[in-house]
Amino acid sequence: MKKLKGAAKRILGGLQNRLSKQARFGQSKHEAKQAAKAAYLKEHGNLDGYNPAKVDGIFSIGTMETYRAAMQPFAEWCSAHNVKNAGQITEAHAAAYLREREGAGLSPLTVSRDLSAINKAMGFSLSKGEVGLRQRKKSEITRSREETANDRRRFSKYQEQITVAKACGCRRASITRITPNDCVRNSRGQVVGIRLVEKGGKERIAPVLNEYKDRVTSIVDKAQEATRPLFTAYDSHIDNHRFRAEYCAALLRQLEQEEAQGKPWFGGDLNPKNYIHLSGRDAKCGDTYRGHPTQVVAAVSGAMGHNRLEIVFSHYNYTE
């Protein structure tokens, strides 16, 4: 990263300082969101206009590093457009910069990242629509959608890790954190769910797919200590996001089959109410969503660690 001089250096320092002051490492983003929601409700009396995605602070070191890095080209651009310090940056500056980035051919993902970083640094609430940016097309999302050389590797040393990932749809970071104590069993001793604490500090019991319950139970039963993680390593080349997508599609099929056959969901081992959290527009969408029972889609979203119906199809269910 090249060194900046003059106004560009001053602007960069101001922007990065604003970001650094928002560090909330080690704190729960989920709890912060709940507190922000309660405060908004107390002030306004209702949740009209409330943005559930917005929360003060940066809770991930990775996000902080990404946002700080995004500030350098923005600082250089501002300096070239007669801005003297960070305090002079306006929403108009940010919008013009982002449109220029898009016009230069940068990917929608990169421009979206820049938008988020600038909003966070400057306290703006700019949206793609307000700025005039085009929406990212589904066809432009390539992560885990196209086969790579790594997808053809067997990763024989990590077959048990892969089994657990496919069984519960956990995120990559969870694989080396799961302990036997995190595994929820039914009355027959089968592992039917795994307790996870993932993005934003949210805790959930990730349902184990019916077809994987015996296999996961065998893996957990081999563990020597209840409080020690089951696994110590997980190859970084493994496409874990693909496993989450496959899990999402498999769970959707499983729940729809159980519903159609009049059987209890999750094999009768977990309470569906713990996964269905419909609110806002989702609560008004009727009995079906994109051709699937709304309650089933909601349960799948909850099992994945989300609470919006749209997530199931836009982020994961592309393997069908």
Side-chain angles (χ1 to χ4, degrees):
M1 186 177 294
K2 68 178 183 180
K3 292 184 178 180
L4 303 184
K5 298 179 180 179
K9 181 178 180 180
R10 186 163 54 250
I11 294 168
L12 176 61
L15 290 169
Q16 293 189 336
N17 184 53
R18 288 169 181 241
L19 290 172
S20 296
K21 287 181 177 178
Q22 299 183 64
R24 304 287 187 276
F25 307 147
Q27 298 181 31
S28 169
K29 186 176 182 180
H30 178 63
E31 291 178 2
K33 283 187 174 182
Q34 294 300 106
K37 181 178 180 180
Y40 188 96
L41 187 60
K42 183 177 180 180
E43 180 179 351
H44 299 276
N46 57 61
L47 293 176
D48 293 344
Y50 173 67
N51 181 0
K54 187 175 181 180
V55 61
D56 291 335
I58 298 174
F59 298 79
S60 163
I61 294 175
T63 298
M64 177 67 81
E65 292 176 347
T66 297
Y67 283 5
R68 283 175 62 86
M71 291 301 101
Q72 175 152 335
F74 183 46
E76 292 182 85
W77 185 93
C78 287
S79 174
H81 289 76
N82 301 315
V83 175
K84 302 303 180 185
N85 56 64
Q88 293 182 356
I89 298 172
T90 66
E91 291 186 350
H93 288 125
Y97 169 72
L98 292 165
R99 287 193 295 269
E100 188 173 304
R101 297 272 279 177
E102 182 179 79
L106 273 71
S107 73
L109 178 62
T110 297
V111 179
S112 292
R113 179 209 64 190
D114 291 344
L115 172 61
S116 297
I118 293 170
N119 274 339
K120 184 64 75 173
M122 296 302 303
F124 296 157
S125 298
L126 293 170
S127 67
K128 284 186 175 182
E130 291 173 313
V131 173
L133 301 175
R134 66 184 181 87
Q135 295 296 319
R136 189 182 184 193
K137 295 179 181 178
K138 200 169 185 179
S139 60
E140 294 173 322
I141 303 173
T142 59
R143 179 189 179 194
S144 301
R145 270 64 165 183
E146 301 171 356
E147 186 179 63
T148 68
N150 285 323
D151 293 328
R152 295 187 288 274
R153 293 172 59 187
R154 293 197 66 250
F155 295 104
S156 56
K157 288 174 54 179
Y158 303 96
Q159 287 306 300
E160 290 190 342
Q161 290 92 319
I162 290 172
T163 294
V164 171
K166 289 184 172 183
C168 71
C170 63
R171 292 181 170 88
R172 171 181 297 279
S174 293
I175 290 294
T176 52
R177 296 175 183 167
I178 298 169
T179 70
N181 278 349
D182 293 321
C183 299
V184 178
R185 298 178 184 254
N186 60 16
S187 59
R188 299 182 298 282
Q190 287 180 308
V191 174
V192 299
I194 298 177
R195 184 177 293 102
L196 303 173
V197 179
E198 295 188 325
K199 276 192 172 182
K202 288 192 293 184
E203 179 177 325
R204 76 180 190 280
I205 303 298
V208 172
L209 293 168
N210 291 342
E211 62 181 295
Y212 278 93
K213 288 176 181 177
D214 287 336
R215 275 180 278 177
V216 173
T217 300
S218 296
I219 292 171
V220 176
D221 284 347
K222 293 190 299 182
Q224 299 297 312
E225 295 184 31
T227 58
R228 178 176 292 181
L230 294 170
F231 311 114
T232 58
Y234 192 44
D235 196 298
S236 62
H237 295 97
I238 295 173
D239 189 356
N240 195 79
H241 192 77
R242 180 78 183 187
F243 300 154
R244 277 175 62 76
E246 292 173 352
Y247 171 85
C248 179
L251 183 59
L252 183 64
R253 289 195 302 269
Q254 175 187 304
L255 295 183
E256 286 188 316
Q257 289 172 2
E258 290 172 332
E259 175 72 8
Q261 296 169 6
K263 296 180 179 180
W265 294 6
F266 303 115
D269 293 318
L270 299 169
N271 187 346
K273 293 182 179 179
N274 293 333
Y275 300 92
I276 299 172
H277 310 290
L278 293 172
S279 61
R281 288 181 299 176
D282 286 347
K284 304 173 185 177
C285 75
D287 294 333
T288 60
Y289 181 82
R290 298 196 183 185
H292 301 269
T294 299
Q295 296 288 307
V296 168
V297 178
V300 173
S301 180
M304 297 291 293
H306 298 284
N307 57 16
R308 290 187 290 125
L309 301 176
E310 180 264 343
I311 290 287
V312 172
F313 299 97
S314 65
H315 284 55
Y316 298 108
N317 201 16
Y318 50 78
T319 60
E320 292 295 271

